Amino acid sequence: MSLFERYLTLWIALAMAGGILLGSLAPGLVSAIAAAEVARVNLVVAVLIWAMVYPMMVAVDPAHIGGALREPKGLAITLAVNWLIKPFTMAALAVLFFETVFAPFIAPEDASQYIAGLILLGAAPCTAMVFVWSQLTKGDANYTLLQVSVNDVVMVFAFAPIVALLLGVTDISVPWETLVLSVVLFVALPLLAGVATRRWLASPARIATFQARVKPWSVIGLIATVVILFGLQGQVILDRPAVIGLIAVPILIQSYGIFALAYAAAWALKVPHRIAAPCALIGTSNFFELAVAVAISLFGLNSGAALATVVGVLVEVPVMLSLVALANRTRARFG
């Protein structure tokens, strides 16, 4: 694990603080960035999201998709959890907390935005950091790549309909054109670009070298996006810092609940630990880069939905490290 990955929560916290400071000292600059939009897609953030997502997509090898028959149970659990359970439980928890439990403390229009952001998080399974979690649990690297590759292909077709359905159920207006454009722009095109890059590079050694070179851009893109988001959200956070904690509550419940479900299913089906651990961790973690991008496209840079997705980034790393520790402690139970 790199220095950045090991201390991701710290870097994100520093980026949040830097963004709030930037918003206070240079509000005109942040406003100018927010105004740079075409078809409701912010051009600055679009470049940063591509910088984040493209290096991850280069790791997706279509040739591994055919390997599903080798260990079908692990892949089946991942797909069932990611696409049939997780989006709906996240939506249910979001509605429960922000329309009932936290309703006395949050304005209805803000609650609606936070629900939308949490729905976007729940509908986007992890594609990048899961390789770190897999390594820490001594997971099967090739099978982890297989699961990520299949999930990315499913995401191209399933993300937009699921998000539209859940936003509609919660009475949040869905601009279909923007949602589909976001999926094409931030999932389909980077995936195609990643596949084309692999074919151009041809050899595994050249691919690995290329990935090492472009990986820092993913870090830069993530940090810069968080700075911009919190530059716009800074005043809200300073006025109501408790909102970060409120948003984190359903995310924490969802994360530990989904891991327990997937991990227990893998144990019951006698899936080997080298596959079971990454299988459960993929469903627990989120593709927060996509969630952030779509939240910005649908609701704007300074929206509560965008803020909710960034809270997901802050919460994710300590949660995932605790689950990695749990998976390692229970390895012997899988035989």
Side-chain angles (χ1 to χ4, degrees), residues 239-251:
D239 292 343
R240 293 181 293 163
V243 73
I244 302 297
L246 297 182
I247 294 172
V249 170
I251 296 175

Side-chain angles (χ1 to χ4, degrees), residues 112-248:
S112 178
Q113 287 284 304
Y114 301 148
I115 289 170
L118 292 175
I119 285 172
L120 292 172
L121 274 176
C126 187
T127 65
M129 288 297 289
V130 72
F131 292 109
V132 176
W133 315 135
S134 178
Q135 180 183 8
L136 292 176
T137 57
K138 298 182 181 179
D140 185 320
N142 289 329
Y143 199 82
T144 300
L145 180 57
L146 159 68
Q147 293 181 94
V148 169
S149 299
V150 174
N151 269 306
D152 281 346
V153 172
V154 174
M155 196 183 308
V156 172
F157 302 100
F159 180 81
I162 288 176
V163 167
L165 171 66
L166 293 175
L167 291 179
V169 168
T170 55
D171 295 324
I172 298 170
S173 177
V174 182
W176 259 99
E177 300 83 357
T178 305
L179 179 57
V180 173
L181 175 62
S182 296
V183 174
V184 171
L185 185 60
F186 301 124
V187 180
L189 291 181
L191 180 59
L192 291 175
V195 171
T197 301
R198 293 184 67 90
R199 290 181 178 176
W200 172 62
L201 293 171
S203 73
R206 292 182 64 191
I207 291 172
T209 300
F210 180 80
Q211 286 181 278
R213 289 177 178 173
V214 299
K215 188 175 182 179
W217 290 104
S218 183
V219 175
I220 293 170
L222 174 60
I223 295 298
T225 301
V226 172
V227 169
I228 292 172
L229 284 169
F230 278 81
L232 285 166
Q233 296 281 355
Q235 195 56 50
V236 174
I237 295 167
L238 291 175
D239 292 343
R240 293 181 293 163
V243 73
I244 302 297
L246 297 182
I247 294 172

